[in-house]
Amino acid sequence: MKNVIIVGGGIVGLSCAYYLLKEDYNITIIDKSDLSGGASYVNAGYLTPSHIIPLASPGMMAKGIKWMFNSSSPFYMKPRLDLDFIKWAWSFNKSSSKANVEKAIPLIKDINLLSKELYTDLYDSGELGDFQLEKKGLLMLYKTEKEGKHEKEVAKRAQDIGLEVKELLLSELNTLQPNLSNEILGAVHYECDAHTTPTEIMKKLKTYLKKQNVVFKINEEVQDFKLSGNQIKEIITDKGTYSADEIVLASGSWSQKLSQKIGLNISVQPGKGYRINVHRETPVKLPAVLMEAKCAVTPMRGFTRFAGTMELSGINNKIRKERVAAIAQAASNYYNNLTITQEEKLEAQYGLRPVSPDGLPYIGRTSKYNNLSIATGHAMMGWSLGPATGKLISEVLTNKKPSMNIDGFNPERKF
């Protein structure tokens, strides 16, 4: 029986563990945190086949520059002299092309549909017990003709590639989701999407893995690697040294720093997102994206979550109150009789999402080491793509034909 070490215990790392268990691996997960917070816990809980347009798309860099000095803007890049960030920004700008979008669309659609199917299988299997998995779709709510026109173009493209989507009349929208602001002009309803409660699934997945004898090394930070030729022989942490037949690097926003220790450059920048949980009755019936504000709203089990923003400011623990306030204000601007309290804003948390320069994840082996696989760079789709990534990594390690073509996710692709 082979041993595998997974560096990172977010949804991607845990999903890798889940599917590698099915292949009879002995598994150890190492994580620098206590696995109680971060991007896998504070996200919007969406399963999003509809999100076919990568973050690196035409006009995004211009928006980033425009909003650079507005720290409450939806897409904020903090100006800083950091070589990794400058190189990433250059590659992101090169990737923000129509050609990149066209190449990415089928890949994003296929991996999202695969992951949604795997979440469904996980739910139906009962292995984790009961958890929220609701297939009510996702509303894209818009207040301006400009955003409406843009989203209708995306919806048309989504329809063309076989996704279930519908443009709603105001009367249809108000039936599905009452108590909306009169300023809302309409919505696109992506019926292909679903939603979950991430904290619920993460807790149940950890419990299941522990019962299956997966070893968790928490509050333990990987500091270095011992190499021998084209193999990683040992992982050195602040608490010990470990060896395994296979290594999976699923360390999210910390992946670039770790990969540089072994002569690789897995280019990612941490994209900070925030969430506010409201544990009381709200008007929210269906998951929705508030388009002008770039905020996500999700009716989860026991609470409603308001989440959003993309803040590229490096790895740090700073919660920017102005960004939390912008999410709270957006909630009031789109829903009638909804005010998020000061206490609820003070309880806001953040997560760091690993963003690659072209908006696609890194999934697969490297050519430099024959026992290393990469599983990171999922940007805002980490939650949605967790199970699919875990399944694909298990197929890579066992030399099985992958469930989909993963050439576009090559960790060593050039930008």
Side-chain angles (χ1 to χ4, degrees), residues 207-307:
T207 299
Y208 172 82
L209 294 174
K210 286 175 181 176
K211 284 181 179 176
Q212 302 300 316
N213 299 315
V214 171
V215 176
F216 282 80
K217 301 286 184 181
I218 63 170
N219 297 312
E220 190 161 346
E221 186 170 1
V222 174
Q223 295 183 331
D224 213 343
F225 301 85
K226 184 178 179 182
L227 310 174
S228 177
N230 61 354
Q231 284 213 326
I232 297 175
K233 286 297 184 183
E234 292 180 341
I235 291 180
I236 302 161
T237 74
D238 55 353
K239 293 181 180 177
T241 302
Y242 307 94
S243 60
D245 300 294
E246 295 278 1
I247 312 293
V248 178
L249 192 64
S251 46
S253 293
W254 291 264
S255 299
Q256 182 159 4
K257 296 296 184 188
L258 287 176
S259 71
Q260 287 171 342
K261 292 179 181 292
I262 50 177
L264 297 173
N265 186 41
I266 306 300
S267 180
V268 295
Q269 282 294 309
K272 186 183 289 182
Y274 298 87
R275 72 96 177 110
I276 303 169
N277 288 344
V278 175
H279 294 268
R280 55 189 164 85
E281 192 74 23
T282 71
V284 178
K285 303 297 180 190
L286 289 180
V289 172
L290 318 181
M291 292 194 60
E292 287 77 15
K294 303 293 187 285
C295 289
V297 185
T298 315
M300 295 187 178
R301 269 202 178 159
F303 59 94
T304 303
R305 175 165 291 178
F306 300 85

Side-chain angles (χ1 to χ4, degrees), residues 44-176:
Y46 293 163
L47 312 185
T48 51
S50 68
H51 282 28
I52 55 174
I53 308 298
L55 186 64
S57 58
M60 280 307 295
M61 184 56 79
K63 286 181 182 178
I65 293 170
K66 174 186 171 185
W67 287 332
M68 192 173 276
F69 299 101
N70 177 6
S71 61
S72 63
S73 62
F75 180 46
Y76 173 58
M77 294 192 299
K78 182 183 178 183
R80 61 193 190 278
L81 290 173
D82 175 277
L83 189 57
D84 286 338
F85 173 68
I86 291 168
K87 287 179 177 177
W88 178 93
W90 179 258
S91 297
F92 181 84
N93 188 45
K94 280 173 58 183
S95 298
S96 296
S97 65
K98 188 175 180 182
N100 177 61
V101 170
E102 290 304 313
K103 180 187 74 173
I105 283 174
L107 291 170
I108 294 173
K109 183 200 81 164
D110 288 350
I111 192 171
N112 265 290
L113 287 175
L114 171 62
S115 217
K116 182 183 171 187
E117 182 183 322
L118 292 171
Y119 267 113
T120 302
D121 290 346
L122 196 59
Y123 181 86
D124 291 342
S125 75
E127 286 181 318
L128 304 189
D130 178 56
F131 61 84
Q132 185 194 33
L133 176 62
E134 295 191 46
K135 299 179 179 180
K136 295 180 177 179
L138 175 67
L139 296 174
M140 306 294 284
L141 303 175
Y142 58 87
K143 288 184 167 189
T144 61
E145 294 290 356
K146 180 183 176 183
E147 287 291 351
K149 181 175 181 291
H150 168 75
E151 197 55 43
K152 288 173 184 177
E153 289 170 357
V154 176
K156 177 67 168 63
R157 188 63 201 276
Q159 279 180 323
D160 289 345
I161 59 174
L163 296 174
E164 301 91 8
V165 55
K166 183 180 181 183
E167 291 179 30
L168 297 178
L169 300 173
L170 266 180
S171 58
E172 295 174 306
L173 173 60
N174 289 324
T175 299
L176 279 174

Side-chain angles (χ1 to χ4, degrees), residues 184-198:
I184 291 172
L185 300 180
V188 170
H189 187 200
Y190 288 99
E191 297 167 318
C192 52
D193 287 6
H195 71 282
T196 59
T197 301

Side-chain angles (χ1 to χ4, degrees), residues 20-68:
L20 285 167
L21 265 178
K22 309 292 184 186
E23 303 294 342
D24 290 329
Y25 276 82
N26 286 322
I27 300 163
T28 300
I29 295 173
I30 303 175
D31 198 285
K32 66 198 292 294
S33 76
D34 64 358
L35 297 186
S36 65
S40 294
Y41 296 81
V42 307
N43 64 83
Y46 293 163
L47 312 185
T48 51
S50 68
H51 282 28
I52 55 174
I53 308 298
L55 186 64
S57 58
M60 280 307 295
M61 184 56 79
K63 286 181 182 178
I65 293 170
K66 174 186 171 185
W67 287 332
M68 192 173 276

